[in-house]
Amino acid sequence: MAMHVLSQRWDVKWVAGKVLIIALLLPVTVSAKNTTSESNEITGVGTGYHAKVFYQHSWPSMKYGWKIIVGTIVGFLGSAFGNVGGVGGGGIFVPMLTLIIGFDAKSAIAISKCMITGGATATVFYNLRQRHPTLDLPVIDYDLALLFQPMLMLGISIGVSFNVIFPDWMLTTLLIISFTGISVKSFFKGVDTWKQETLMMKVSVIDNVHWKELGLLFAVWIMILALEIGKNYTTTCSGVYWVINLLQVPIAVGMSSYQAMRLYKGQRIIASKGDQQTHWRVLQLIVFCACGILAGTIAGLLGLGGGFILAPLFLGLGIPPQVASATSILAMAFSASFFFLMYGLFDDLDDLAALYFVAVATAAALVGQHLVRKVIAMLGRASVIIFILTLTLCVSAVLLGKT
């Protein structure tokens, strides 16, 4: 038992360590601000939906042909695997849209967010009918989501704002290193849990919703979205602009701190862990919240979903694979839809391509969930989800390297 707890703590520290290494290296790139800003005006990965610079979009024709066929297949598999693994698939969508379909990077990020939103939303509704594999609980851990989701939202806002500062090659390199390391650790985690799962039963959606926690998640989403919308009607870098920006901090930090305090005092527990409860320490909770911010920041910069950090981190906490995937996807559904709405309201978007690929991602997410549940039922092993997560991270690392 002691060895299990020690291994679990090491898993969490390992994932958190990788995340914090990225956090320490990111400021190094500030010195490249001038050259990056200049290149972003023409060919950069995107300047954010409230950047006031000229950007030349590249929108290829959506005429039926080999590019659309291959892109559809890649997008379908990326969404199916990404949503099962709890990472959304953004690491596959962005390279597919740029390398195969031919979109410019900024448009690819916008459409990628649309696809993540469609797939994650479909997966959340699917998971609302699922139960915890071993306990009489929903498969979504709302307390865990409430701890991370506000900080993820704050991180995305930071990432979009800093899009013009950091050179894309540095971010992509750090992300590839992180993906590779986390995927290796996830693989060994999958091997360790290969024999630990049982079947799940379906119940009413109403019985699986924790309305208070879900209401708090929606409250954070609405408040930060409202502030971001208001910010787009102000002058960039004006006093009002910075006030609106800074108002997001107490909202996100306040909500996550509220949940962290309840966990620390034992008023709430991560029920999905069953009897193996964590004795929360202050530093541990701070590190986890920092991981949420960084996941959102990188997601905002590169058009990903944030689940590439959350899903492995949840597994390191000892959360069952089904619960880790479902909870990570719930957090991403909020963050990706936030990003999607901002692009739709304040930026150019190829509506036809977005609608088509959202339909592909949504269908793939539902098919992927259904097929994987069947596989779990046949094998009795939910560690399949961890191996799918590992595969998705590895493929994402390779494809991001190509871009």
Side-chain angles (χ1 to χ4, degrees):
M1 181 65 179
M3 287 298 295
H4 174 76
V5 172
L6 183 62
S7 174
Q8 203 175 95
R9 287 183 180 177
W10 190 87
D11 287 344
V12 173
K13 288 180 179 179
W14 192 92
V15 175
K18 287 285 184 181
V19 172
L20 292 178
I21 287 173
I22 299 175
L24 292 173
L25 290 176
L26 282 179
V28 175
T29 63
V30 173
S31 60
K33 177 178 180 179
N34 293 333
T35 57
T36 305
S37 298
E38 182 179 351
S39 64
N40 273 342
E41 291 184 7
I42 303 175
T43 60
V45 161
T47 57
Y49 45 75
H50 38 66
K52 311 300 183 185
V53 296
F54 174 75
Y55 189 90
Q56 195 167 18
H57 291 283
S58 175
W59 291 354
S61 171
M62 290 296 291
K63 182 185 293 186
Y64 181 79
W66 72 267
K67 290 185 177 181
I68 298 300
I69 295 174
V70 175
T72 299
I73 294 172
V74 173
F76 188 93
L77 295 175
S79 181
F81 288 169
N83 282 283
V84 167
V87 296
I92 295 175
F93 298 153
V94 174
M96 177 272 291
L97 291 165
T98 54
L99 298 177
I100 299 176
I101 305 300
F103 281 99
D104 64 280
K106 184 178 179 182
S107 297
I109 289 175
I111 296 174
S112 169
K113 281 298 180 183
C114 297
M115 296 175 70
I116 294 172
T117 301
T121 302
T123 302
V124 168
F125 279 106
Y126 182 92
N127 286 330
L128 286 177
R129 294 186 61 83
Q130 308 299 319
R131 297 293 283 178
H132 190 286
T134 57
L135 303 173
D136 188 20
L137 295 168
V139 74
I140 298 173
D141 193 318
Y142 293 92
D143 286 296
L144 197 59
L146 188 57
L147 178 65
F148 283 93
Q149 183 259 4
M151 308 308 281
L152 184 68
M153 294 284 294
L154 178 61
I156 283 183
S157 180
I158 295 172
V160 172
S161 298
F162 283 0
N163 197 289
V164 294
I165 298 178
F166 303 120
D168 307 316
W169 66 265
M170 174 66 77
L171 293 170
T172 304
T173 300
L174 293 175
L175 200 59
I176 290 171
I177 295 172
S178 178
F179 272 17
T180 303
I182 293 175
S183 64
V184 170
K185 187 62 184 176
S186 297
F187 174 78
F188 287 111
K189 182 70 176 178
V191 172
D192 291 339
T193 58
W194 176 248
K195 298 180 180 180
Q196 296 179 358
E197 204 54 65
T198 59
L199 306 182
M200 290 178 287
M201 57 182 181
K202 293 184 179 180
V203 296
S204 167
V205 171
I206 302 299
D207 295 335
N208 268 347
V209 178
H210 290 188
W211 294 104
K212 179 180 178 181
E213 284 75 19
L214 188 61
L216 292 174
L217 292 172
F218 266 109
V220 172
W221 183 82
I222 290 171
M223 286 188 287
I224 293 183
L225 178 63
L227 289 173
E228 282 293 324
I229 291 174
K231 185 170 67 176
N232 279 273
Y233 293 100
T234 65
T235 303
T236 302
C237 292
S238 65
V240 176
Y241 175 90
W242 287 114
V243 168
I244 293 177
N245 257 329
L246 293 175
L247 281 176
Q248 298 179 37
V249 177
I251 292 172
V253 174
M255 188 61 73
S256 286
S257 298
Y258 166 72
Q259 179 67 0
M261 186 61 66
R262 294 200 299 172
L263 290 170
Y264 178 73
K265 292 183 176 180
Q267 297 173 355
R268 300 293 301 177
I269 60 172
I270 304 301
S272 59
K273 295 186 66 175
D275 296 331
Q276 298 177 354
Q277 288 300 315
T278 301
H279 178 65
W280 296 98
R281 300 184 302 277
V282 173
L283 181 59
Q284 187 180 29
L285 290 166
I286 292 174
V287 169
F288 287 162
C289 290
C291 287
I293 292 179
L294 190 62
T297 301
I298 297 176
L301 285 163
L302 294 179
L304 307 179
F308 63 93
I309 287 178
L310 295 187
L313 187 62
F314 293 165
L315 290 171
L317 277 170
I319 306 298
Q322 296 99 316
V323 181
S325 171
T327 306
S328 175
I329 285 293
L330 176 66
M332 278 199 304
F334 282 103
S335 61
S337 60
F338 164 79
F339 213 147
F340 161 65
L341 286 174
M342 295 309 300
Y343 268 118
L345 289 172
F346 299 107
D347 210 344
D348 291 331
L349 188 65
D350 188 336
D351 296 333
L352 177 61
L355 287 173
Y356 175 75
F357 284 111
V358 166
V360 170
T362 302
L366 293 173
V367 171
Q369 290 291 329
H370 181 72
L371 292 180
V372 167
R373 303 301 173 185
K374 293 291 186 183
V375 172
I376 292 174
M378 287 189 296
L379 299 179
R381 304 171 190 270
S383 50
V384 170
I385 294 176
I386 305 179
F387 292 124
I388 290 175
L389 166 63
T390 302
L391 176 64
T392 305
L393 290 173
C394 288
V395 173
S396 297
V398 173
L399 292 179
L400 285 170
K402 295 292 185 182
T403 61

